[in-house]
Amino acid sequence: MTVPREMPEKWARVRVRGGPEEERRVRANAREYNEKFQYASNCIKTSKYNIVTFLPVNLFEQFQEVANTYFLFLLILQLIPQISSLSWFTTIVPLVLVLTITAVKDATDDYFRHKSDNQVNNRQSQVLIGGVLRQEQWMNVRVGDIIKLENNQFVAQADLLLLSSSEPHGLCYIETAELDGETNMKVRQAIPVTAELRDTSKLALFDGEVVCEPPNNKLDKFGGTLYWKENKYPLSNHNMLLRGCVLRNTEWCFGLVIFAGPDTKLMQNSGRTKFKRTSIDRLMNTLVLWIFGFLVCMGVILAIGNAIWEHEVGVCFQIYLPWDEGVHSAFFSGFLSFWSYIIILNTVVPISLYVSVEVIRLGHSYFINWDKKMYCAKRRTPAEARTTTLNEELGQVEYIFSDKTGTLTQNIMVFSKCSVNGHSYGDMQDVLGHKAELGERPEPVNFSFNPLADPRFQFWDPSLLEAVKLGDPHVHEFFRLLSLCHTVMSEEKSEGELLYKAQSPDEGALVTAARNFGFVFRFRTPKTITVHELGQAITYQLLAILDFNNVRKRMSVIVRCPEGRIRLYCKGADTILLERLHPVNQDLTSVTADHLNEYATEGLRTLVLAYKDLEESYYRDWSERLRWAGSASEAREDRLARLYDEVEHDMMLLGATAIEDKLQQGVPETIAILTLANIKIWVLTGDKQETAVNIGYSCKMLTDDMTEVFVITGHTVLEVREELRKAREKMMDASRSVGNGFSYEEKLSSSKLTSVLEAIAGEYALVINGHSLAHALEADMEVEFLETACACKAVICCRVTPLQKAQVVELVKKYKKAVTLAIGDGANDVNMIKTAHIGVGISGQEGIQAVLASDYSFSQFKFLQRLLLVHGRWSYLRMCKFLCYFFYKNFAFTMVHFWFGFFCGFSAQTVYDQYFITLYNIVYTSLPVLAMGVFDQDVPEQRSMEYPKLYEPGQLNLLFNKREFFICIAQGIYTSVLMFFIPYGVFADATRDDGAQLADYQSFAVTVATSLVIVVSVQIGLDTGFWTAINHFFIWGSLAAYFAILFTMHSDGLFRMFPNQFRFVGNAQNTLAQPTVWLTIALTTVVCIMPVVAFRFLKLDLKPELSDTVRYTQLVRKKQKTQHRCVRRAGRVGSHRSGYAFSHQEGFGELIMSGKNMRLSSLALSSFASRPSTSWIETLWKKKSSEGSGAGSPSGTADKTLKV
């Protein structure tokens, strides 16, 4: 190939070795030439290990955990005889168990990653090699190869330059749902010089060279040049088929691989998988370090005590208590004692803590997987927890970032209403022709007169069809416009069976409506459109298409009618089109505007329709100028825009359309309830602004009651900054005074808000476009944008790229320190899902890329409500209660050794025997706390959904934080003090029944150990809020297991088998046979537990939490229902009328389902719970007693029931 002289010098060196790629040069059918640039291959690898590297790499990763390294260090210490007072098996058994379980889990996960990689890499592709199409594995596709794709095939291999296709002029049609979330069809076209290469023999001789931009993440832009046969041809995004799109309505096409593997634009937008840890995990790591510091302090204190004791007292007893070999001073004895106590006291952080946490998380994950209320029967798709490490974080979410298309909506457009010549059609009507009342469901319009009608289309106003049949010229022209002004492609699978492929769902809905009302679009050619108008085929000559874009917000076609008249048909946004109408339309415009406002309040998507007749001479002149503008090399877009604007003036108004974008079931209710739970929802969509805003109104994120909706559309940094500043100023001005006698400044000073803007009065929303967002996310403006957005109730970001979605999430994570959740269903949402603390994938219409990258997945947005408010809240509650109890019981267990050290000469002697120490966390106390961590709940699931305010403690991190940790530690230390000193004081002077001295080391150890097991068992009984058979079995079973093992270890039979290990025969039986011992155990238990019971009762009475209030109101309601049933039974004598129950329920069902009463009930309960003036229990009892006098009156009972 001869390189043209115009090729820049820098293109001779594309990649600097070791540096970033500056330009890319690709030559077709030249693998050897392209390989010297070392472009990325198409082979993917997501696995981490192989057979050789698994063991060393996995162990290295596991010992990156501080806890595992800590326990390995303890194990090494226990192997040193001079400092170890415990056997090595007390540490190595649980450590090996944890490492093995984790290794098996990691190996299983990596096996499935290997399996997935092999499946993807071995997919087959048709690659042109040596002039012949060959089946080649996907991983062997290289940059510069020519690939053949067929209809409905995913472009899964690479980013391709379209060379030719089966369609005329090198056209091909694609869906880009995996890229931008839009399921509408888009058109791509090969450049004319390659469109002629339609067979493999010509393509095999093609040796053109493409010089283009390096790999990047810009989905909507591509710049390059094709050099071939001494000529150069400009390339744009219109010529590219990106990885992730699907070929539609095109039999085949050929493409040249430009980017492969990680260099493709889809992969450039995917981002790296990030390791996610919960806030509780991060807090636990901090607390473990604190506990380790506390452990060192205790070791130092006891070591100093040992050195002093040995120097002052122990030196006098060297004859029968000599120092160990190698110990020659009291100081060195204290040094060894320090390490001995580190080993003994290490159980303040047992390794079983981490195993138990993983078991609890696994249980919570299974509950999500098994939840039948999150199962979609239509798609046969259950909810799936794809990770086990983030469950409790689901109970702490403050920000939700949601995709729109396929996540909030079904992406199904329905022609709902229209306005034609000042008359509105589309309201449901009864048989008499009057507007149907709410709840009535009349029969849909019968389109049986039209054999080409779409049977799925439904319309409820028969008057519009009557107008068509009566020949109303305005109605005919209205539907004629809808059948002509579009870019829809028609495919006739069989005679009369039409299938429309539209670039947008809106267009498809409008053309389908025209089809059913008798104006059937049949097919098109590049120069004609054929329509069947009420059964008669009419062909219009297509003269020009003035296409839609975000600036114009309208689309027009110019056609020549069969009678020779040239007419322009236009449809577009009302804000744009109404100002381009002829002045004679003023009255009609006023009426139509009223209809548009009515449709908008219903959340419908509206378009205005107009037409204009053109003179032949004017059209010829205008067409010539259009041709010259289209071939201009500079300012081409601006010239075309001016010509379009010129012809689209002084049009005649026809009417307007209103389309409903079908929301997924339950979306408005879910958003309303999540908002009441103090969760902010941001919509990040690649769709256009109008669509996103309409959906915002449909799902009740945006409402007409909002103070103001700010729209940020600036194209420069200065414009965006100014618009954000004005928005903040308006919010501040409107909030100078919040009423009730408090000034704005006073409110700020009394609040704990981190931002001034978060204290504003009124409800605001923010809508920002992608090009404006790009400036807003710059380093010097991101804080201004975030403050403005966080002050708004709703935020909608339109036309955003996948990378921008992730940047918005990262911005909130960076500055707000809040838990974020991202939810989406397409490949364009993958980066956002990976960036957020929690990623949720919707298994919908756009493939499984989002699901594969997610932490949780299900099929409908409404399930998010249950995932957060039920599973998330319960998981957080259970994990917090588990951790509080776990730290309490281990401090109570371990600190007894510390107090004993002051009475044993600081000799590192343990209170308990080594078997009790080994089994305490594995057998005696492990299962009860696991049962609480897996099954506990404060309120039933129905109440969790009914009172969203119950979710707020997780957001505020109230149930487990540093304060709660210190409270648990203090309780554990308090328990350990009583656990040691009460038996110690009793045993000082106690005697047996036979008069012998009771105080001996083994009897004391049995008494303390028994007291400990009973106290912690009673404590977990108090902590358990939801009792199941499993809780009873584990708690009482653990106590039974303790006594069974205790008596077995002190039995005669075990002594005969292992005389050196179990020397104290009969000690447990003798000790526990003494009444004094049992009185000591009872006294210890009462003194340890009673303060806890008293404190909780007073807290429940004086300052109850919302969950306490909810539980108590449920008890009251249950008792009231019982009373009501008794009253009804007594009142049935002499009367068969019992309509009260039905009339009481009537009218409230819709209100409850709408979620409007959730705010009232939640706020009322929360304020009720926080009243300091009187006991809430007394208040409820007063209400209950007053209701007793009115129990015989149904109306009185109803009033009081509603008040509670």
Side-chain angles (χ1 to χ4, degrees):
M1 183 194 81
T2 304
V3 179
R5 297 176 181 177
E6 298 87 18
M7 184 177 288
E9 288 292 331
K10 67 176 181 177
W11 287 341
R13 186 181 69 256
V14 177
R15 184 194 294 268
V16 179
R17 185 172 296 276
E21 187 174 344
E22 297 176 1
E23 300 280 352
R24 171 157 294 207
R25 189 163 70 183
V26 179
R27 186 177 296 174
N29 294 315
R31 279 196 173 187
E32 292 183 3
Y33 173 81
N34 296 319
E35 284 175 357
K36 68 181 181 181
F37 298 114
Q38 300 178 356
Y39 295 138
S41 73
N42 222 27
C43 180
I44 69 166
K45 180 183 178 184
T46 61
S47 57
K48 296 165 60 178
Y49 316 109
N50 57 40
I51 296 177
V52 177
T53 63
F54 172 72
L55 191 60
V57 173
N58 185 260
L59 287 176
F60 176 78
E61 288 178 346
Q62 290 201 57
F63 282 112
Q64 298 295 306
E65 292 283 344
V66 176
N68 289 341
T69 306
Y70 166 63
F71 290 116
L72 179 64
F73 173 68
L74 288 176
L75 175 61
I76 295 172
L77 290 180
Q78 285 183 269
L79 297 177
I80 303 174
Q82 287 79 7
I83 62 175
S84 179
S85 55
L86 290 175
S87 299
W88 55 269
F89 64 78
T90 59
T91 298
I92 195 171
V93 172
L95 178 61
V96 170
L97 182 65
V98 169
L99 295 177
T100 303
I101 292 174
T102 306
V104 170
K105 176 179 174 292
D106 291 342
T108 304
D109 291 344
D110 205 60
Y111 167 76
F112 286 110
R113 282 194 288 266
H114 273 286
K115 191 175 180 180
S116 176
D117 289 350
N118 291 334
Q119 182 180 1
V120 172
N121 287 328
N122 291 322
R123 289 177 181 168
Q124 297 297 307
S125 302
Q126 296 186 70
V127 182
L128 186 63
I129 300 177
V132 180
L133 279 175
R134 296 181 181 175
Q135 293 292 330
E136 195 64 59
Q137 290 180 334
W138 185 17
M139 61 182 178
N140 295 327
V141 173
R142 298 288 184 267
V143 171
D145 287 351
I146 294 178
I147 295 177
K148 182 180 181 181
L149 298 174
E150 296 179 345
N151 192 32
N152 297 326
Q153 183 176 348
F154 261 99
V155 182
Q157 297 87 349
D159 289 347
L160 309 175
L161 170 66
L162 179 61
L163 297 178
S164 60
S165 75
S166 58
E167 302 300 303
H169 312 292
L171 294 173
C172 82
Y173 304 95
I174 58 172
E175 283 184 3
T176 59
E178 288 284 326
L179 295 171
D180 55 20
E182 299 180 5
T183 54
N184 50 295
M185 272 205 308
K186 294 179 173 62
V187 180
R188 294 293 183 264
Q189 186 173 18
I191 59 176
V193 69
T194 63
E196 302 171 356
L197 308 176
R198 297 169 58 88
D199 58 70
T200 55
S201 59
K202 293 180 180 179
L203 287 166
L205 300 175
F206 175 65
D207 61 350
E209 185 163 358
V210 174
V211 180
C212 65
E213 62 190 20
N216 59 73
N217 54 37
K218 297 177 181 177
L219 293 172
D220 57 345
K221 291 183 179 180
F222 177 81
T225 305
L226 171 64
Y227 293 89
W228 191 38
K229 295 182 178 178
E230 300 292 338
N231 293 312
K232 63 176 184 177
Y233 308 93
L235 303 175
S236 69
N237 200 53
H238 191 63
N239 311 120
M240 296 294 293
L241 302 179
L242 301 184
R243 175 179 175 178
C245 62
V246 184
L247 197 66
R248 299 293 192 198
N249 286 2
T250 307
E251 187 178 345
W252 53 261
C253 73
F254 286 96
L256 173 66
V257 176
I258 303 296
F259 301 117
D263 290 343
T264 59
K265 291 183 181 287
L266 178 63
M267 298 303 293
Q268 290 280 311
N269 273 283
S270 293
R272 298 183 60 185
T273 301
K274 300 178 181 179
F275 180 66
K276 298 182 179 182
R277 301 180 68 90
T278 66
S279 57
I280 287 183
D281 279 336
R282 293 188 291 271
L283 177 60
M284 278 176 56
N285 286 339
T286 302
L287 297 180
V288 166
L289 293 177
W290 288 2
I291 291 173
F292 182 73
F294 179 69
L295 175 62
V296 171
C297 291
M298 288 194 297
V300 169
I301 292 171
L302 294 171
I304 294 173
N306 176 267
I308 295 173
W309 191 89
E310 291 289 354
H311 183 269
E312 299 292 334
V313 181
V315 70
C316 303
F317 299 93
Q318 288 293 312
I319 297 175
Y320 63 94
L321 282 178
W323 287 338
D324 293 336
E325 184 179 352
V327 178
H328 305 292
S329 66
F331 173 81
F332 191 66
S333 175
F335 173 76
L336 294 179
S337 178
F338 169 80
W339 294 109
S340 298
Y341 272 112
I342 291 295
I343 295 172
I344 292 173
L345 300 175
N346 80 84
T347 49
V348 286
V349 188
I351 197 169
S352 59
L353 170 66
Y354 295 91
V355 178
S356 301
V357 166
E358 292 303 319
V359 170
I360 291 172
R361 287 172 172 168
L362 182 64
H364 296 168
S365 299
Y366 277 116
F367 288 154
I368 294 173
N369 296 343
W370 293 339
D371 192 342
K372 293 183 178 179
K373 295 181 180 179
M374 295 173 67
Y375 176 78
C376 180
K378 182 178 179 181
R379 297 179 183 172
R380 296 182 180 179
T381 306
E384 181 182 6
R386 299 174 54 81
T387 180
T388 60
T389 59
L390 302 175
N391 294 324
E392 64 269 17
E393 197 105 299
L394 289 170
Q396 299 179 278
V397 173
E398 290 187 55
Y399 288 86
I400 292 177
F401 301 91
S402 174
D403 179 37
K404 180 191 72 68
T405 308
T407 303
L408 298 178
T409 69
Q410 302 177 38
N411 204 29
I412 299 174
M413 305 296 177
V414 177
F415 183 84
S416 181
K417 295 184 178 182
C418 64
S419 172
V420 183
N421 195 34
H423 192 286
S424 179
Y425 299 93
D427 289 322
M428 292 188 183
Q429 297 185 355
D430 57 23
V431 292
L432 299 178
H434 301 121
K435 186 174 180 179
E437 296 295 329
L438 183 66
E440 293 186 31
R441 193 70 172 177
E443 289 294 321
V445 175
N446 184 2
F447 293 105
S448 58
F449 80 98
N450 182 2
L452 295 177
D454 187 341
R456 295 168 298 180
F457 179 85
Q458 289 187 323
F459 197 74
W460 307 95
D461 187 353
S463 62
L464 183 58
L465 183 58
E466 290 298 322
V468 172
K469 292 181 177 180
L470 293 174
D472 187 323
H474 298 288
V475 175
H476 279 209
E477 197 67 15
F478 178 89
F479 285 116
R480 186 174 291 116
L481 185 152
L482 294 182
S483 66
L484 294 172
C485 186
H486 57 79
T487 56
V488 173
M489 303 297 297
S490 175
E491 181 180 344
E492 193 161 357
K493 292 187 174 182
S494 60
E495 183 63 29
E497 185 182 353
L498 296 175
L499 179 64
Y500 289 152
K501 291 292 184 179
Q503 285 204 18
S504 72
D506 303 68
E507 279 202 331
L510 293 175
V511 176
T512 300
R515 166 186 174 180
N516 275 60
F517 282 97
F519 290 75
V520 185
F521 164 64
R522 292 301 296 263
F523 58 88
R524 68 163 70 240
T525 69
K527 297 298 181 182
T528 65
I529 298 178
T530 300
V531 178
H532 280 212
E533 297 184 1
L534 299 176
Q536 181 180 359
I538 301 177
T539 299
Y540 294 84
Q541 185 181 351
L542 181 60
L543 301 178
I545 296 179
L546 286 56
D547 211 352
F548 177 92
N549 64 39
N550 286 330
V551 178
R552 285 169 39 76
K553 298 182 181 178
R554 62 191 184 275
M555 175 202 173
S556 301
V557 295
I558 301 176
V559 299
R560 187 185 297 276
C561 302
E563 62 272 20
R565 182 180 68 239
I566 299 177
R567 177 165 285 187
L568 176 144
Y569 290 109
C570 182
K571 66 182 181 184
D574 54 349
T575 55
I576 301 297
L577 220 61
L578 292 180
E579 62 187 27
R580 285 172 165 73
L581 299 177
H582 196 279
V584 300
N585 293 275
Q586 188 171 359
D587 294 337
L588 179 58
T589 300
S590 177
V591 176
T592 305
D594 291 338
H595 292 161
L596 288 169
N597 292 333
E598 179 186 336
Y599 301 155
T601 58
E602 298 176 24
L604 303 178
R605 302 154 61 95
T606 58
L607 286 176
V608 174
L609 311 184
Y611 71 95
K612 177 183 179 180
D613 288 324
L614 303 178
E615 296 289 339
E616 182 76 31
S617 57
Y618 171 78
Y619 170 73
R620 287 179 182 175
D621 175 65
W622 181 85
S623 178
E624 184 65 20
R625 286 184 286 139
L626 182 69
R627 188 177 66 83
W628 279 105
S631 60
S633 58
E634 295 182 359
R636 176 177 177 269
E637 298 296 332
D638 292 337
R639 295 183 184 186
L640 289 174
R642 284 195 294 270
L643 285 171
Y644 291 170
D645 190 65
E646 173 191 322
V647 75
E648 292 171 331
H649 265 93
D650 295 331
M651 294 183 288
M652 302 300 294
L653 180 61
L654 268 176
T657 62
I659 295 176
E660 180 185 0
D661 186 359
K662 289 282 189 180
L663 288 173
Q664 286 193 20
Q665 183 183 4
V667 166
E669 295 83 357
T670 299
I671 289 177
I673 290 179
L674 292 179
T675 301
L676 289 179
N678 200 33
I679 298 174
K680 293 187 175 182
I681 302 177
W682 294 19
V683 173
L684 312 178
T685 177
D687 217 336
K688 57 182 181 287
Q689 178 182 313
E690 292 79 7
T691 305
V693 170
N694 280 323
I695 292 300
Y697 279 104
S698 298
C699 64
K700 303 300 185 269
M701 279 184 62
L702 305 178
T703 65
D704 294 328
D705 297 332
M706 283 185 162
T707 309
E708 188 166 351
V709 177
F710 301 111
V711 180
I712 310 298
T713 58
H715 285 78
T716 65
V717 174
L718 294 177
E719 289 177 358
V720 174
R721 178 175 277 116
E722 182 65 18
E723 290 178 355
L724 290 174
R725 183 187 63 81
K726 288 181 178 179
R728 291 196 300 275
E729 286 182 353
K730 286 184 179 180
M731 288 189 282
M732 296 287 285
D733 292 341
S735 302
R736 293 300 178 189
S737 176
V738 294
N740 297 326
F742 292 97
S743 67
Y744 178 65
E745 289 77 10
E746 288 173 343
K747 181 178 179 182
L748 286 180
S749 62
S750 63
S751 69
K752 297 180 180 179
L753 298 173
T754 58
S755 171
V756 171
L757 286 171
E758 292 187 26
I760 64 169
E763 293 185 346
Y764 298 89
L766 180 71
V767 180
I768 185 169
N769 277 314
H771 54 78
S772 303
L773 185 62
H775 298 304
L777 291 175
E778 292 180 1
D780 59 341
M781 206 192 304
E782 60 182 12
V783 176
E784 297 177 45
F785 165 67
L786 184 64
E787 285 186 352
T788 309
C790 289
C792 297
K793 180 181 178 182
V795 178
I796 298 177
C797 301
C798 319
R799 286 296 183 195
V800 293
T801 65
L803 186 60
Q804 284 178 322
K805 291 184 178 185
Q807 288 173 337
V808 171
V809 176
E810 189 64 46
L811 180 65
V812 174
K813 287 175 62 179
K814 179 179 178 182
Y815 289 104
K816 299 303 292 183
K817 306 301 181 184
V819 176
T820 58
L821 180 146
I823 180 170
D825 70 324
N828 58 321
D829 303 313
V830 167
N831 206 355
M832 172 178 72
I833 287 172
K834 289 181 177 180
T835 303
H837 291 100
I838 302 169
V840 177
I842 299 288
S843 50
Q845 304 295 327
E846 300 183 18
I848 60 171
Q849 292 271 7
V851 171
L852 293 177
S854 67
D855 304 304
Y856 302 89
S857 68
F858 40 72
S859 61
Q860 295 185 43
F861 182 84
K862 67 177 182 179
F863 295 147
L864 184 63
Q865 174 186 349
R866 185 170 178 83
L867 182 71
L868 298 184
L869 300 188
V870 178
H871 292 287
R873 203 182 72 82
W874 278 352
S875 294
Y876 174 72
L877 170 75
R878 292 161 176 168
M879 186 59 68
C880 292
K881 293 182 73 171
F882 163 80
L883 291 173
C884 288
Y885 176 79
F886 208 96
F887 284 120
Y888 153 75
K889 77 180 181 67
N890 280 286
F891 266 79
F893 165 64
T894 305
M895 289 299 294
V896 173
H897 295 302
F898 180 78
W899 311 124
F900 184 57
F902 290 89
F903 296 90
C904 67
F906 304 97
S907 60
Q909 176 66 39
T910 62
V911 177
Y912 321 108
D913 66 75
Q914 61 184 3
Y915 297 103
F916 180 83
I917 294 174
T918 303
L919 297 175
Y920 176 75
N921 280 306
I922 296 177
V923 177
Y924 301 150
T925 62
S926 61
L927 294 180
V929 71
L930 279 179
M932 182 180 71
V934 173
F935 299 108
D936 201 48
Q937 50 185 267
D938 54 348
V939 297
E941 60 184 65
Q942 298 90 340
R943 304 296 163 245
S944 294
M945 306 275 277
E946 184 179 347
Y947 303 111
K949 287 290 180 183
L950 289 168
Y951 190 79
E952 289 189 3
Q955 296 171 324
L956 301 174
N957 203 23
L958 296 180
L959 302 186
F960 186 74
N961 48 44
K962 294 173 183 176
R963 177 178 174 274
E964 293 295 324
F965 169 73
F966 284 119
I967 291 175
C968 298
I969 298 308
Q971 184 186 355
I973 294 174
Y974 164 78
T975 301
S976 70
V977 170
L978 299 177
M979 199 79 62
F980 176 78
F981 285 102
I982 290 178
Y984 184 83
V986 171
F987 274 46
D989 299 316
T991 59
R992 297 178 182 273
D993 293 338
D994 57 3
Q997 182 69 26
L998 180 61
D1000 65 77
Y1001 172 72
Q1002 279 298 316
S1003 297
F1004 180 75
V1006 169
T1007 304
V1008 174
T1010 305
S1011 300
L1012 175 65
V1013 173
I1014 292 175
V1015 167
V1016 297
S1017 297
V1018 173
Q1019 181 65 48
I1020 200 170
L1022 293 175
D1023 290 344
T1024 301
F1026 181 73
W1027 285 86
T1028 65
I1030 296 176
N1031 293 85
H1032 283 287
F1033 177 75
F1034 282 171
I1035 291 176
W1036 314 126
S1038 295
L1039 274 173
Y1042 165 73
F1043 285 107
I1045 294 173
L1046 178 66
F1047 289 128
T1048 301
M1049 287 195 304
H1050 293 85
S1051 65
D1052 186 51
L1054 207 58
F1055 170 74
R1056 289 196 182 96
M1057 289 187 287
F1058 306 101
N1060 294 328
Q1061 296 294 325
F1062 302 96
R1063 302 187 184 96
F1064 302 99
V1065 182
N1067 177 69
Q1069 293 86 335
N1070 292 334
T1071 301
L1072 295 178
Q1074 303 300 317
T1076 305
V1077 172
W1078 282 108
L1079 289 173
T1080 303
I1081 293 172
L1083 176 64
T1084 304
T1085 303
V1086 171
V1087 175
C1088 288
I1089 295 300
M1090 283 309 296
V1092 178
V1093 175
F1095 172 78
R1096 292 188 181 181
F1097 179 81
L1098 290 174
K1099 182 182 178 184
L1100 192 68
D1101 187 39
L1102 301 176
K1103 193 178 179 181
E1105 297 176 354
L1106 180 58
S1107 58
D1108 301 323
T1109 310
V1110 171
R1111 282 199 302 270
Y1112 197 83
T1113 53
Q1114 288 307 116
L1115 291 175
V1116 173
R1117 286 175 181 173
K1118 286 181 180 178
K1119 293 180 179 179
Q1120 288 174 344
K1121 288 179 180 178
T1122 304
Q1123 293 175 0
H1124 296 167
R1125 281 196 291 267
C1126 295
V1127 170
R1128 284 197 293 269
R1129 290 193 196 102
R1132 281 176 185 170
V1133 179
S1135 174
H1136 295 286
R1137 295 180 61 188
S1138 182
Y1140 163 69
F1142 302 99
S1143 63
H1144 174 64
Q1145 298 295 332
E1146 184 66 31
F1148 288 99
E1150 185 175 351
L1151 179 64
I1152 292 171
M1153 292 304 293
S1154 69
K1156 294 180 180 178
N1157 70 326
M1158 294 296 104
R1159 183 186 299 273
L1160 176 62
S1161 60
S1162 299
L1163 291 176
L1165 280 172
S1166 61
S1167 62
F1168 175 65
S1170 60
R1171 292 177 185 171
S1173 58
T1174 183
S1175 166
W1176 70 281
I1177 295 180
E1178 292 175 1
T1179 304
L1180 283 175
W1181 274 109
K1182 288 178 182 178
K1183 288 189 175 184
K1184 182 181 177 185
S1185 60
S1186 65
E1187 286 163 6
S1189 60
S1193 169
S1195 60
T1197 308
D1199 292 340
K1200 292 178 175 55
T1201 303
L1202 288 173
K1203 288 177 184 177
V1204 174

